[in-house]
Amino acid sequence: MTKLKIFLVLAACLLLVSCQGIGKEEEKNSIRIGVSLYRGDDTFINNIRSIMEEKAKEYERQSGIKIILDIQEAKGSQNIQNNQVERFISLDCDVLCINPVDRMDASGVIDKAMTAGVPVVFFNRQPVEEDMNRWDHLYYVGVDAKETAILQGKMVVDLYREHPESVDLNGDGVVSYVMLEGETSHQDSLIRTEWSVQTLKDGKVPIEKITGGIANWERSQASALMEQWIAEYPSDIELVISNNDDMALGAIDALERAQVTGVNVIGIDGTTPGLEALESGRLLGTVSVDKELYVSAILELTVSCALGQEPPEEYPLSDGTYYWTPQEILIHRIEENQ
Ligand code: GAL
């Protein structure tokens, strides 16, 4: 072979090797996934984490591909999360699965991922559109917040139509409610608050807001707020609308401490403790996302990214980027259980 031919063959080999990144299917027998959770003490996120661990094992058994899940908690700090992402990249993670701390500031994560050529599947805290549009290898798995809120409002509308006396407890023709809201910066808080109330109005439930407050998704914060409201408005509260189950449980804790009975409390998430409270009738209702599907979508999308495959067809993506998980109303059946 002439020197020129040897050079051409070598150059062709090099080109082949360098083309094996994103977009090319690879034969892999193990996948390393770097997962960062915004906090480790959030009930809903912890439910998701456990299902993710189970499903990763199940996938491993079925596919024969080893899944290494490196799950870290960012303790509510975007800085910590950015450092975790750097570490994941230095450990050669094939793909990242990120529950952003600050959804308005996902650019740090995206910059690092883009530079290293590592795809990212975000979930639960939706980065702003401008950030999501920066690269083709960014995905989001979540729940449509407006749909959640409309379902939450609908459960009270339906109940009011069937049994107005079980919602308007004092029979004065007005349902007086308090509102518990999640973090101000979270896309779900504003939309859930606005659309649950709008749905009640559209459904012709005569409502009046007594007061409301931000309890950042947390049971203890909600419990403290509710304790204050019970003291201020001792016999006025008929309904507690909460942006999530944990805050609804906090309100129930305060009602039980004050020995106030009959107040209807509704939440969102269908977490394990939320479902227990629903079963016992302490929680009137919740809107529950299909968590199995939610996690399957995250994992299947993540694995397809790692293998350089097209996103799985079973989880249709809107705009090629977003998977919206179905959800349902779960309500404590008064007739059946009393
Ligand atoms: C919401 C969920 C909350 C909390 C929050 C964290 O979607 O309803 O309970 O987990 O996400 O981002």
Side-chain angles (χ1 to χ4, degrees), residues 164-231:
E165 71 292 346
S166 65
V167 186
D168 176 13
L169 304 175
N170 59 12
D172 66 351
V174 180
V175 177
S176 305
Y177 73 93
V178 295
M179 171 69 76
L180 283 164
E181 295 182 44
E183 293 160 279
T184 40
S185 57
H186 199 300
Q187 79 278 353
D188 288 343
S189 308
L190 290 176
I191 304 174
R192 288 179 185 177
T193 302
E194 180 186 345
W195 283 95
S196 58
V197 171
Q198 190 56 46
T199 306
L200 291 174
K201 288 183 184 157
D202 293 346
K204 307 275 184 289
V205 179
I207 47 166
E208 178 186 60
K209 181 173 178 180
I210 301 176
T211 187
I214 293 160
N216 297 306
W217 311 121
E218 284 187 36
R219 184 167 180 159
S220 57
Q221 289 190 31
S223 173
L225 275 181
M226 189 67 191
E227 189 170 298
Q228 209 177 301
W229 297 339
I230 295 171

Side-chain angles (χ1 to χ4, degrees), residues 148-298:
T148 316
I150 291 176
L151 290 174
Q152 191 187 38
K154 193 176 172 303
M155 67 183 136
V156 179
V157 172
D158 291 348
L159 191 60
Y160 184 77
R161 281 187 189 150
E162 279 176 47
H163 307 282
E165 71 292 346
S166 65
V167 186
D168 176 13
L169 304 175
N170 59 12
D172 66 351
V174 180
V175 177
S176 305
Y177 73 93
V178 295
M179 171 69 76
L180 283 164
E181 295 182 44
E183 293 160 279
T184 40
S185 57
H186 199 300
Q187 79 278 353
D188 288 343
S189 308
L190 290 176
I191 304 174
R192 288 179 185 177
T193 302
E194 180 186 345
W195 283 95
S196 58
V197 171
Q198 190 56 46
T199 306
L200 291 174
K201 288 183 184 157
D202 293 346
K204 307 275 184 289
V205 179
I207 47 166
E208 178 186 60
K209 181 173 178 180
I210 301 176
T211 187
I214 293 160
N216 297 306
W217 311 121
E218 284 187 36
R219 184 167 180 159
S220 57
Q221 289 190 31
S223 173
L225 275 181
M226 189 67 191
E227 189 170 298
Q228 209 177 301
W229 297 339
I230 295 171
E232 276 174 51
Y233 312 97
S235 47
D236 298 337
I237 305 171
E238 293 168 298
L239 172 67
V240 179
I241 306 176
S242 173
N243 280 176
N244 79 341
D245 284 354
D246 252 19
M247 295 188 296
L249 291 170
I252 293 169
D253 293 339
L255 287 164
E256 287 176 351
R257 276 199 307 274
Q259 297 181 339
V260 177
T261 52
V263 174
N264 289 314
V265 183
I266 52 172
I268 286 171
D269 282 343
T271 57
T272 309
L275 294 179
E276 281 163 16
L278 185 79
E279 183 69 31
S280 66
R282 291 153 71 230
L283 184 69
L284 172 69
T286 188
V287 181
S288 181
V289 61
D290 186 333
K291 287 178 239 1
E292 296 285 321
L293 204 60
Y294 190 100
V295 174
S296 295
I298 297 175

